[in-house]
Amino acid sequence: MDTHAKDIHTWGLARSRLPSQAWVMTTSTSPTDRAVTMSGRQISALIVLLASQFMMAADFSVLNVALPRVGDDLGFTSGNLQWITTTFALCAAGCTLVFGRLGDVIGRRRIFIGGMVLLCVASVIGGLAESPSLLLLARTLQGLATAAVTPAALALLTTTFSDPALRTRALGLNGVMMSLGFTVGAVLGGVLTDLLSWRWAFFINIPVAVAAIVIVPIVVNESRSGSSQKLDVPGAALITAGLFAVIYGVTTGAESGFSGIALLALAAGLGLLGVFSIVESRSADALVPVQILKKRTVAVSNVAALFIFGGETALIFFTGLYVQNVLGLSPLAAGLTLLGIGLGQIVGGFIGPRVLTKVAPRTALGASLALQGLLMAPMVWTGTDSIALIPLLATQFVNGIFSMLAMLSFMVIATSSVTDDLQGMATGMATQSQQVGIAVGIPLMSAIFTAVAGADALGVEQLDGIRVAVGIDAVLLVVVGVAAWLALRIRASSIGTEPSPATA
């Protein structure tokens, strides 16, 4: 598998702009419709928090297009180059829940600012790195910064906007900005590398992070749990080590075969996660309280998120592979093709909050997941003629709308069904589900692709592998969508409020 291509096409999303009416909306959560507006302080907080989410999303992809240049300059071998991305993903996915819960305990704003400081340090080390080890250290710190900032920013959003309509709108805009960030990051990385140096992919983070460190304390109130709970250190260690091992096992197995060290890592990771569940059931200060794990809305929505994000990133990867390797088009053409999904996601981010004032989140989640899978069908019957791009672009645009609606529905369900004192934990779980889905989606589907097409397949020889992998991806999404809808029909015992406007 070409790691460089994988990283570029994973984040082939599109640009848009925020409409002025984003700040005012109408909701029907009461018998009489009422206009809900944001205060000036809320608008300021929203802007700075969305800007930070945009930057963290861009930070994931900004270095990807420069990987070959980085490898040449610092002496990475072709086999080790993947670790520039894998190291980041491991830390971002493995530590998100811990930082989310830590924000509940010591303050989400404090964790947010600490993450930004860490990002500054990482950017200086990465920009000045003269060896592979220093660059990997920088990427490790960047992953940790992402694990800290992303759930903290989400928790600050959900606690700043307690009104259900405002919260849904804020989460929708958050999804739009993250989608936009992935695209801009990839483009910006190419521009910086060509005009200046790949080192500016690191340096550009510094002024933005410094601005956030200065502005956030002014416009965003501190937010933390009102309880006296302490951080569950054993639970944090177990879940972090378990997720590291599982993600490493999946990634290594997909690239080198599921044997030896890959199977050992998977077994160790699953064992550690099993021990984690036992420890949590007996801990007074559980990282994830048992009652939360038993809450149907939280459990189902987070499982669904694994497939939402893993399935969509796999589709983006295989679309890029199809356009370049099967149709023989240029990387630029491949990027333009992927705009269909990206533009759809931007549209979905804007219309999603309105949809959720009319449709129960569980219905929106199940239907969106199923339609996201069904709209992958054209990839299953693609051929070697470029005319296939026309229906592909159209269906992938609509696919992008439903994938964003699924993402928004999942986030509303996962965060609205817990009280404010657990928002750091809830957003940490939600973000971790996203990161894990992204980290394992492409490797797992690529393993299916390789099993069908063969590791040495080139050009049109890859077509059958692409068809089968995308077909299985589509079926999984449809099945999970239906299962999520059925599971969420039964209301579990609640903690705090349920998703608005309709949860049953």
Side-chain angles (χ1 to χ4, degrees):
M1 181 193 311
D2 185 84
T3 303
H4 178 49
K6 175 175 73 176
D7 294 328
I8 293 175
H9 297 305
T10 300
W11 305 118
L13 303 173
R15 298 179 299 168
S16 184
R17 59 187 179 88
L18 299 179
S20 59
Q21 59 265 40
W23 317 118
V24 182
M25 70 219 70
T26 299
T27 179
S28 54
T29 57
S30 63
T32 304
D33 285 353
R34 59 189 177 87
V36 182
T37 59
M38 296 183 185
S39 67
R41 187 179 180 86
Q42 284 181 317
I43 292 174
S44 298
L46 182 64
I47 291 173
V48 71
L49 291 173
L50 290 183
S52 72
Q53 294 289 62
F54 173 88
M55 186 187 71
M56 300 312 293
D59 196 48
F60 187 99
S61 58
V62 69
L63 194 64
N64 291 338
V65 295
L67 287 179
R69 193 77 60 84
V70 175
D72 291 341
D73 286 354
L74 298 186
F76 279 90
T77 65
S78 57
N80 290 332
L81 193 62
Q82 62 170 317
W83 285 103
I84 297 176
T85 298
T86 302
T87 299
F88 180 100
L90 281 171
C91 293
C95 300
T96 299
L97 180 56
V98 175
F99 279 112
R101 189 63 180 126
L102 189 60
D104 287 337
V105 176
I106 68 172
R108 292 127 190 177
R109 191 179 70 179
R110 185 173 297 173
I111 290 295
F112 177 93
I113 294 172
M116 284 297 181
V117 172
L118 186 60
L119 179 64
C120 286
V121 173
S123 298
V124 171
I125 294 173
L128 299 176
E130 295 292 344
S131 67
S133 59
L134 277 178
L135 190 80
L136 292 179
L137 172 62
R139 291 297 278 172
T140 297
L141 296 178
Q142 280 187 317
L144 291 173
T146 298
V149 170
T150 303
L154 272 173
L156 289 170
L157 274 177
T158 57
T159 53
T160 298
F161 302 100
S162 57
D163 182 274
L166 291 179
R167 176 181 286 184
T168 301
R169 172 63 70 179
L171 291 173
L173 292 174
N174 181 72
V176 169
M177 293 305 290
M178 292 192 75
S179 296
L180 185 59
F182 292 132
T183 298
V184 172
V187 175
L188 185 62
V191 172
L192 291 173
T193 301
D194 285 341
L195 297 182
L196 298 170
S197 165
W198 60 263
R199 297 180 184 278
W200 281 93
F202 287 97
F203 291 145
I204 196 171
N205 293 326
I206 298 173
V208 180
V210 169
I213 292 168
V214 173
I215 296 173
V216 164
I218 300 173
V219 300
V220 180
N221 293 327
E222 180 59 283
S223 168
R224 63 164 60 89
S225 170
S227 67
S228 58
Q229 277 193 321
K230 300 177 181 178
L231 180 66
D232 175 20
V233 176
L238 285 168
I239 194 169
T240 301
L243 286 172
F244 264 80
V246 168
I247 295 170
Y248 177 82
V250 170
T251 304
T252 303
E255 294 175 350
S256 307
F258 286 93
S259 61
I261 191 170
L263 289 179
L264 182 61
L266 281 171
L270 293 174
L272 288 169
L273 293 178
V275 175
F276 167 77
S277 65
I278 296 173
V279 170
E280 294 302 277
S281 67
R282 300 175 180 177
S283 174
D285 298 307
L287 184 69
V288 183
V290 174
Q291 63 268 34
I292 290 291
L293 292 175
K294 291 181 178 179
K295 188 169 179 60
R296 190 181 300 272
T297 51
V298 174
V300 172
S301 60
N302 277 278
V303 170
L306 297 173
F307 292 87
I308 296 170
F309 290 87
E312 195 71 0
T313 52
L315 174 66
I316 292 171
F317 168 60
F318 285 116
T319 299
L321 204 64
Y322 170 72
V323 171
Q324 290 190 85
N325 294 1
V326 176
L327 298 185
L329 301 181
S330 67
L332 176 60
L336 293 175
T337 301
L338 292 169
L339 285 177
I341 296 176
L343 289 172
Q345 289 186 327
I346 299 297
V347 172
F350 286 128
I351 69 174
R354 297 181 182 180
V355 171
L356 291 178
T357 64
K358 307 296 183 182
V359 180
R362 67 169 177 86
T363 302
L365 176 63
S368 298
L369 258 170
L371 289 168
Q372 183 183 346
L374 289 173
L375 286 162
M376 293 181 180
M379 281 290 289
V380 180
W381 289 286
T382 50
T384 58
D385 194 328
S386 296
I387 195 68
L389 284 178
I390 296 176
L392 189 65
L393 283 171
T395 53
Q396 289 198 349
F397 171 76
V398 183
N399 174 287
I401 294 176
F402 284 111
S403 72
M404 181 55 74
L405 182 55
M407 294 175 194
L408 178 56
S409 301
F410 136 72
M411 188 62 72
V412 168
I413 294 171
T415 60
S416 296
S417 55
V418 300
T419 51
D420 280 354
D421 63 319
L422 294 174
Q423 280 299 311
M425 182 277 300
T427 56
M429 284 184 66
T431 306
Q432 191 146 39
S433 297
Q434 298 175 34
Q435 298 283 6
V436 172
I438 290 168
V440 303
I442 292 176
L444 286 177
M445 290 298 109
S446 293
I448 296 172
F449 162 81
T450 302
V452 174
D456 299 323
L458 299 173
V460 295
E461 297 173 350
Q462 297 180 342
L463 183 56
D464 286 342
I466 293 173
R467 286 171 170 169
V468 173
V470 174
I472 292 175
D473 193 4
V475 170
L476 285 172
L477 287 174
V478 172
V479 171
V480 172
V482 173
W485 178 75
L486 290 173
L488 289 172
R489 291 186 67 185
I490 305 172
R491 183 176 302 189
S493 59
S494 64
I495 299 175
T497 58
E498 293 292 336
S500 175
T503 60

